[in-house]
Amino acid sequence: MKIRTGFGYDVHRLGEGYKLWLGGIEVPHIKGSIGHSDGDTLIHAICDALLGAANLRDIGFHFPDNDPSLKGIDSKILLKKTVDIIAQKGYTIGNIDSTICLQRPKIKDLIPQMQQVLASVMGIDIDDIAIKATTTEKLGFVGTEDGVAAYASVLIVKNIG
Protein backbone atom coordinates (compact mmCIF):
# COMPACT_ATOMS: atom_id res chain seq x y z
CA MET A 1 0.00 0.00 0.00
CA LYS A 2 1.29 3.44 -0.91
CA ILE A 3 0.18 6.39 1.23
CA ARG A 4 0.71 10.03 0.26
CA THR A 5 -0.27 13.35 1.80
CA GLY A 6 -1.08 16.65 0.17
CA PHE A 7 -1.65 20.23 1.25
CA GLY A 8 -3.83 22.86 -0.41
CA TYR A 9 -4.46 26.55 0.12
CA ASP A 10 -6.80 28.94 -1.63
CA VAL A 11 -7.96 32.50 -1.17
CA HIS A 12 -10.59 34.67 -2.83
CA ARG A 13 -11.51 38.32 -2.51
CA LEU A 14 -14.98 39.03 -1.19
CA GLY A 15 -17.27 41.55 -2.83
CA GLU A 16 -20.88 42.66 -2.89
CA GLY A 17 -22.99 41.28 -5.70
CA TYR A 18 -21.39 37.82 -5.62
CA LYS A 19 -22.56 34.59 -4.00
CA LEU A 20 -20.53 33.00 -1.22
CA TRP A 21 -19.97 29.31 -1.97
CA LEU A 22 -18.11 27.20 0.58
CA GLY A 23 -17.92 23.42 0.70
CA GLY A 24 -20.39 23.10 -2.15
CA ILE A 25 -23.19 25.09 -0.51
CA GLU A 26 -24.31 28.68 -0.84
CA VAL A 27 -23.68 30.58 2.39
CA PRO A 28 -26.05 33.51 3.02
CA HIS A 29 -24.01 36.73 3.25
CA ILE A 30 -23.88 40.25 1.85
CA LYS A 31 -20.54 39.49 0.19
CA GLY A 32 -19.41 36.61 -1.99
CA SER A 33 -16.26 35.15 -3.52
CA ILE A 34 -14.85 36.83 -6.60
CA GLY A 35 -13.40 34.24 -8.96
CA HIS A 36 -13.39 32.76 -12.45
CA SER A 37 -15.45 29.81 -11.22
CA ASP A 38 -18.01 30.07 -8.43
CA GLY A 39 -15.08 30.88 -6.11
CA ASP A 40 -15.57 28.01 -3.63
CA THR A 41 -12.38 28.49 -1.64
CA LEU A 42 -12.72 25.27 0.36
CA ILE A 43 -13.24 23.06 -2.67
CA HIS A 44 -10.31 24.70 -4.46
CA ALA A 45 -8.01 24.02 -1.49
CA ILE A 46 -9.17 20.38 -1.41
CA CYS A 47 -8.57 20.01 -5.16
CA ASP A 48 -5.05 21.41 -4.79
CA ALA A 49 -4.30 19.08 -1.88
CA LEU A 50 -5.54 16.01 -3.78
CA LEU A 51 -3.65 16.89 -6.95
CA GLY A 52 -0.48 17.68 -5.01
CA ALA A 53 -0.65 14.41 -3.09
CA ALA A 54 -0.80 12.51 -6.39
CA ASN A 55 2.01 14.66 -7.85
CA LEU A 56 -0.34 16.00 -10.52
CA ARG A 57 0.42 19.72 -10.25
CA ASP A 58 -2.40 22.04 -9.15
CA ILE A 59 -5.96 23.17 -9.84
CA GLY A 60 -4.80 26.01 -12.12
CA PHE A 61 -2.94 23.55 -14.33
CA HIS A 62 -5.98 21.31 -14.81
CA PHE A 63 -8.65 24.04 -14.74
CA PRO A 64 -7.02 27.33 -15.85
CA ASP A 65 -8.71 30.61 -15.00
CA ASN A 66 -8.32 31.80 -18.60
CA ASP A 67 -10.47 28.95 -19.97
CA PRO A 68 -13.81 30.52 -20.96
CA SER A 69 -15.59 27.15 -20.65
CA LEU A 70 -14.87 27.24 -16.90
CA LYS A 71 -16.29 30.74 -16.31
CA GLY A 72 -18.76 30.53 -13.43
CA ILE A 73 -18.47 26.72 -13.20
CA ASP A 74 -19.76 24.97 -10.11
CA SER A 75 -16.66 23.95 -8.15
CA LYS A 76 -18.31 20.64 -7.25
CA ILE A 77 -17.77 19.70 -10.90
CA LEU A 78 -14.07 20.53 -10.57
CA LEU A 79 -13.86 18.45 -7.40
CA LYS A 80 -15.50 15.44 -9.05
CA LYS A 81 -13.10 15.75 -12.00
CA THR A 82 -10.17 16.00 -9.58
CA VAL A 83 -11.23 12.80 -7.80
CA ASP A 84 -11.47 11.12 -11.22
CA ILE A 85 -7.99 12.41 -12.16
CA ILE A 86 -6.33 10.95 -9.05
CA ALA A 87 -8.31 7.72 -9.49
CA GLN A 88 -6.76 7.32 -12.96
CA LYS A 89 -3.43 7.13 -11.16
CA GLY A 90 -4.84 4.48 -8.80
CA TYR A 91 -5.47 6.66 -5.74
CA THR A 92 -8.45 6.80 -3.41
CA ILE A 93 -9.07 9.32 -0.65
CA GLY A 94 -8.19 8.27 2.88
CA ASN A 95 -9.29 11.44 4.65
CA ILE A 96 -9.45 15.22 4.39
CA ASP A 97 -8.80 17.76 7.13
CA SER A 98 -9.61 21.37 6.31
CA THR A 99 -10.00 24.83 7.79
CA ILE A 100 -11.99 27.79 6.49
CA CYS A 101 -10.78 31.24 7.59
CA LEU A 102 -13.64 33.74 7.48
CA GLN A 103 -14.41 36.63 9.79
CA ARG A 104 -18.14 36.73 8.99
CA PRO A 105 -20.58 35.08 8.69
CA LYS A 106 -20.20 32.38 11.30
CA ILE A 107 -20.45 29.05 9.49
CA LYS A 108 -20.15 26.40 12.21
CA ASP A 109 -23.80 25.38 11.85
CA LEU A 110 -23.33 24.84 8.09
CA ILE A 111 -20.39 22.45 8.41
CA PRO A 112 -22.46 19.22 8.58
CA GLN A 113 -24.22 20.21 5.34
CA MET A 114 -20.86 20.95 3.68
CA GLN A 115 -19.55 17.55 4.80
CA GLN A 116 -22.61 15.82 3.36
CA VAL A 117 -22.32 17.58 0.00
CA LEU A 118 -18.57 16.96 -0.29
CA ALA A 119 -18.88 13.31 0.72
CA SER A 120 -21.53 12.81 -1.95
CA VAL A 121 -19.44 14.50 -4.67
CA MET A 122 -16.28 12.54 -3.80
CA GLY A 123 -17.99 9.23 -3.08
CA ILE A 124 -16.47 8.92 0.38
CA ASP A 125 -17.80 8.58 3.91
CA ILE A 126 -18.81 11.78 5.68
CA ASP A 127 -16.60 10.70 8.59
CA ASP A 128 -13.56 11.08 6.31
CA ILE A 129 -14.06 14.84 5.89
CA ALA A 130 -13.17 17.22 8.71
CA ILE A 131 -14.05 20.89 8.27
CA LYS A 132 -13.13 23.49 10.84
CA ALA A 133 -13.84 27.22 10.84
CA THR A 134 -11.93 30.09 12.37
CA THR A 135 -11.65 33.85 12.22
CA THR A 136 -8.38 35.75 12.19
CA GLU A 137 -9.38 37.94 15.14
CA LYS A 138 -9.96 40.88 12.75
CA LEU A 139 -6.35 40.70 11.46
CA GLY A 140 -5.34 40.71 7.80
CA PHE A 141 -7.57 40.49 4.70
CA VAL A 142 -9.78 37.86 6.35
CA GLY A 143 -10.18 39.96 9.48
CA THR A 144 -11.16 43.05 7.51
CA GLU A 145 -13.70 40.92 5.60
CA ASP A 146 -11.95 41.56 2.28
CA GLY A 147 -11.31 37.87 1.64
CA VAL A 148 -11.76 34.24 2.58
CA ALA A 149 -9.05 31.58 2.84
CA ALA A 150 -9.08 27.82 3.18
CA TYR A 151 -6.49 25.16 3.97
CA ALA A 152 -6.77 21.44 3.29
CA SER A 153 -4.63 18.45 4.14
CA VAL A 154 -5.40 15.10 2.52
CA LEU A 155 -4.27 11.52 2.68
CA ILE A 156 -4.56 9.38 -0.44
CA VAL A 157 -3.98 5.66 -0.76
CA LYS A 158 -2.96 3.34 -3.61
CA ASN A 159 -3.15 -0.42 -3.27
CA ILE A 160 -0.05 -2.01 -4.78
CA GLY A 161 0.14 -5.61 -5.84
Side-chain angles (χ1 to χ4, degrees), residues 71-86:
K71 180 70 176 157
I73 193 168
D74 183 333
S75 291
K76 292 186 295 292
I77 295 168
L78 303 180
L79 180 58
K80 175 64 176 135
K81 288 182 178 187
T82 298
V83 172
D84 292 344
I85 289 167
I86 70 163

Side-chain angles (χ1 to χ4, degrees), residues 57-76:
R57 306 207 37 185
D58 60 32
I59 190 172
F61 177 80
H62 293 274
F63 313 109
D65 65 2
N66 59 1
D67 181 343
S69 73
L70 300 175
K71 180 70 176 157
I73 193 168
D74 183 333
S75 291
K76 292 186 295 292

Side-chain angles (χ1 to χ4, degrees), residues 4 26-27 33 51 53 66-67 71 102 107 113 153 159:
R4 297 180 70 133
E26 186 177 348
V27 176
S33 297
L51 291 166
N66 59 1
D67 181 343
K71 180 70 176 157
L102 183 67
I107 59 171
Q113 185 182 355
S153 176
N159 288 320

Side-chain angles (χ1 to χ4, degrees), residues 79-106:
L79 180 58
K80 175 64 176 135
K81 288 182 178 187
T82 298
V83 172
D84 292 344
I85 289 167
I86 70 163
Q88 289 173 11
K89 218 172 163 183
Y91 289 104
T92 59
I93 298 169
N95 76 301
I96 297 169
D97 184 22
S98 62
T99 302
I100 301 168
C101 302
L102 183 67
Q103 195 64 40
R104 282 188 322 124
K106 300 295 184 193

Side-chain angles (χ1 to χ4, degrees), residues 16 21 24-25 32-33 40 47-48 50 76 81 84 93-94 101-103 110 124 127 131 133 137-138 148 150 158 161:
E16 293 184 16
W21 288 93
I25 67 167
S33 297
D40 191 320
C47 287
D48 261 350
L50 290 168
K76 292 186 295 292
K81 288 182 178 187
D84 292 344
I93 298 169
C101 302
L102 183 67
Q103 195 64 40
L110 300 174
I124 63 176
D127 194 46
I131 302 172
E137 302 296 331
K138 300 187 179 180
V148 56
K158 180 192 277 189

Side-chain angles (χ1 to χ4, degrees), residues 21 31 46 57 114 122 144 157 161:
W21 288 93
K31 291 183 177 181
I46 292 170
R57 306 207 37 185
M114 291 179 198
M122 293 184 284
T144 58
V157 178

